[in-house]
Amino acid sequence: MKNNREDKKQKFTQQKKSKAGFFSIVGIVAVMIVIGSYFLFSNSNNSSASTKAAADTGQKIDYSPNDNLEQTVIASKVENSKEIVTTLSMVKEKKFIRTEYTANGKTVPLAAFIQPDGKVMVAVSYCEPCKGDSFHITGNQIICNTCGTTWDLQTFKGISGGCQDYPPQALTYSLNGDNLEIPQAVLDTWSPRV
């Protein structure tokens, strides 16, 4: 009986194990998940289409939902290790340009167009899954001529079709006078996402 009393006494007088360490680890993991989610979702929601534009026409544009604006094909050239995609004045006149960078054993189809907010976008004119390299604009949507996949012209978010996750890839370019330029090194290292 005495032994039984000692066991009970030890249970009540013995210090309980602290759970502070466990809760600290759980708290740190929760904070890491919240921070990671913030960066993951804030990056995926940012439109690459709105962050790459160096030129702005200063006027909003509303494309006709009744017309198909096809790409105007023009020649491009390389000067001083930069691809001159087109000129700002040509984009203002034609609205939708297609050209090709061809140098150093590489060919990259390129497009330049005015987005609805008036900014000029330069992108790779390529729908990677279906390998389509020409597009048209109807309303405020850009549409692949090969598979018919449709994206919002301002945000590049997929609207319909099988290649929605792969809109024309926006490129960072610079405006040098009237020229829209991309360094050759960027195009030489470009490769399809799929």
Side-chain angles (χ1 to χ4, degrees):
M1 182 133 176
K2 193 173 189 179
N3 222 2
N4 197 9
R5 274 186 174 194
E6 285 298 318
D7 288 342
K8 286 183 181 180
K9 183 179 177 183
Q10 276 185 345
K11 283 183 183 178
F12 286 106
T13 58
Q14 196 175 34
Q15 283 188 333
K16 292 187 177 183
K17 291 183 182 176
S18 172
K19 294 183 181 179
F22 172 76
F23 288 119
S24 295
I25 291 172
V26 168
I28 291 170
V29 169
V31 168
M32 290 172 60
I33 289 171
V34 168
I35 291 171
S37 298
Y38 171 78
F39 285 111
L40 178 69
F41 292 115
S42 67
N43 286 341
S44 66
N45 288 336
N46 285 340
S47 167
S48 63
S50 64
T51 60
K52 309 277 184 189
D56 191 336
T57 63
Q59 297 178 328
K60 292 185 178 189
I61 188 167
D62 213 14
Y63 293 97
S64 170
N66 301 320
D67 295 331
N68 287 339
L69 177 62
E70 296 292 336
Q71 293 172 304
T72 299
V73 178
I74 64 164
S76 67
K77 61 183 174 180
V78 175
E79 285 181 6
N80 302 321
S81 298
K82 293 192 177 180
E83 166 72 7
I84 300 172
V85 177
T86 187
T87 62
L88 180 57
S89 52
M90 180 67 77
V91 175
K92 285 180 178 179
E93 178 188 339
K94 302 293 184 183
K95 307 282 188 277
F96 198 15
I97 304 293
R98 185 188 187 287
T99 191
E100 281 189 356
Y101 165 75
T102 305
N104 302 324
K106 185 102 175 201
T107 300
V108 181
L110 299 169
F113 53 90
I114 302 172
Q115 293 178 287
D117 68 357
K119 290 187 170 72
V120 177
M121 173 58 51
V122 174
V124 177
S125 185
Y126 194 59
C127 180
E128 286 121 312
C130 76
K131 302 189 181 357
D133 64 1
S134 66
F135 297 83
H136 66 275
I137 294 173
T138 299
N140 289 332
Q141 299 174 350
I142 186 168
I143 302 159
C144 175
N145 289 343
T146 301
C147 68
T149 298
T150 304
W151 299 272
D152 180 273
L153 191 59
Q154 185 65 50
T155 65
F156 278 17
K157 286 193 182 237
I159 296 171
S160 66
C163 302
Q164 291 182 49
D165 292 336
Y166 299 94
Q169 189 175 357
L171 297 171
T172 300
Y173 66 94
S174 59
L175 182 61
N176 183 9
D178 197 36
N179 294 336
L180 306 178
E181 300 178 343
I182 298 174
Q184 274 188 277
V186 170
L187 298 173
D188 287 341
T189 59
W190 179 84
S191 62
R193 294 167 284 191
V194 293

